[in-house]
Amino acid sequence: MIFADLGLARRLEAAEGHACAQFAEARKRLIPKSGSTWIRCAGTTVVFDGVGAPTTQTFGLGLFEDVTHAALNEMEAFFKSHETSVVHEVCPLVGVEALATLCKRGYRPIEVSNVMYRAVERPTLETASNVRVRVIRADEADLWSGVSARGWTHGHPELEGFVRDMGALCAARQGSPCFLAEVDGQDGAAGVLIVHEGVALFGGSSTVPEQRRRGLQGALLGERMRYAADAGCDLAMMVAEAGSGSQKNAERKGFRVGYTRMKWRLALTE
């Protein structure tokens, strides 16, 4: 049994922090003038990946070292030097004292998510004969981004450009294989995997509207689980909005809620 304790939280938050930092590294390679960068401060991964970007934030605050005013001063200075909001993703296992410190400094919660986990196991069920999943080639990054964007932005076409850009970064990250699932020869679903120190982070999966309910997400999960096992991972993780359909789908696939995490933003001052 894998217990939801401090040791588990450290592994999970370190993996997601690594994934976030690799977004910044990928953007910096693709767009050198972007200014994307990251630092490590008091055991915390601190990432700038664009003003107001969802990847501009910290991971691991208070899990590896105590939350001190000196450390928070340094992190806040980092974000302010890039003229962006100060945002921390905070695991509840940091304790009430750390949370009280954030409140005293003017932080407010802005988002709640569930961090989920399970053991990595090779899939035992065979995929349907008309469904195939593969890791994309380097020249298929645009194809993968397009499928991903169509799945994520159905009903919100104004977001397609943003999601395509994020897809290009996913494909450019190191240690982050991208997967395409097809049914009857038609590409219909996209997913990504981030591997870090034995942890496999499952993220970025979506299905185009016309191919939904045809088993593509299950096939994507199984193939990524097989890849993770081959890479020597023992722990799989996902992150979902608390109580969402994504959480329920993950639970159906054997994931358990490890802890409910809160995102904190420093309130703007005059």
Side-chain angles (χ1 to χ4, degrees):
M1 178 177 289
I2 304 172
F3 292 101
D5 57 12
L6 180 59
L8 177 74
R10 284 173 171 167
R11 292 188 67 191
L12 299 182
E13 294 299 308
E16 195 166 10
H18 170 79
C20 194
Q22 288 305 308
F23 261 121
E25 292 283 358
R27 192 185 301 275
K28 188 175 181 179
R29 288 196 303 273
L30 294 176
I31 313 171
K33 294 182 180 180
S34 65
S36 293
T37 186
W38 67 280
I39 62 172
R40 189 70 52 74
C41 175
T44 304
T45 303
V46 186
V47 180
F48 171 73
D49 194 33
V51 175
T55 42
T56 292
Q57 60 180 76
T58 76
F59 285 95
L61 180 71
L63 287 178
F64 301 94
E65 297 183 25
D66 290 340
V67 177
T68 65
H69 289 288
L72 288 171
N73 286 341
E74 184 176 345
M75 295 178 211
E76 290 167 11
F78 172 85
F79 287 116
K80 290 176 181 178
S81 71
H82 293 287
E83 300 181 338
T84 192
S85 300
V86 184
V87 178
H88 302 289
E89 199 79 74
V90 183
C91 169
L93 295 181
V94 300
V96 295
E97 185 175 342
L99 299 180
T101 297
L102 292 177
C103 290
K104 289 177 182 177
R105 292 178 72 98
Y107 286 88
R108 296 293 181 266
I110 59 170
E111 183 180 297
V112 178
S113 59
N114 279 337
V115 179
M116 311 180 71
Y117 71 99
R118 57 161 287 180
V120 169
E121 297 175 346
R122 294 182 184 277
T124 56
L125 297 177
E126 293 293 329
T127 302
S129 60
N130 64 332
V131 173
R132 186 170 75 97
V133 181
R134 71 184 189 279
V135 176
I136 67 168
R137 303 186 306 268
D139 62 354
E140 292 182 307
D142 287 344
L143 170 63
W144 185 89
S145 297
V147 173
S148 179
R150 285 189 59 211
W152 280 111
T153 64
H154 177 62
H156 298 281
E158 71 278 6
L159 298 176
E160 183 171 349
F162 169 78
V163 176
R164 279 183 176 271
D165 289 344
M166 293 299 288
L169 294 175
C170 284
R173 281 187 304 190
Q174 295 181 350
S176 177
C178 296
F179 296 76
L180 269 178
E182 63 180 50
V183 57
D184 296 327
Q186 298 294 317
D187 294 314
V192 66
L193 190 72
I194 299 92
V195 174
H196 178 67
E197 296 183 354
V199 179
L201 171 57
F202 289 65
S205 60
S206 67
T207 305
V208 299
E210 66 271 20
Q211 302 288 14
R212 291 174 181 170
R213 300 187 182 280
R214 301 193 67 184
L216 294 183
Q217 282 301 315
L220 268 177
L221 178 67
E223 192 58 34
R224 287 183 292 172
M225 194 69 75
R226 181 179 288 109
Y227 186 103
D230 290 342
C233 295
D234 65 303
L235 188 62
M237 70 174 292
M238 286 185 178
V239 180
E241 181 183 353
S244 65
S246 295
Q247 175 190 317
K248 294 174 183 176
N249 288 337
E251 289 177 307
R252 293 187 184 100
K253 299 299 183 180
F255 284 83
R256 300 170 56 193
V257 175
Y259 48 88
T260 299
R261 192 173 64 183
M262 194 169 291
K263 185 176 292 190
W264 297 74
R265 181 169 60 205
L266 184 61
L268 296 177
T269 57
E270 297 295 336

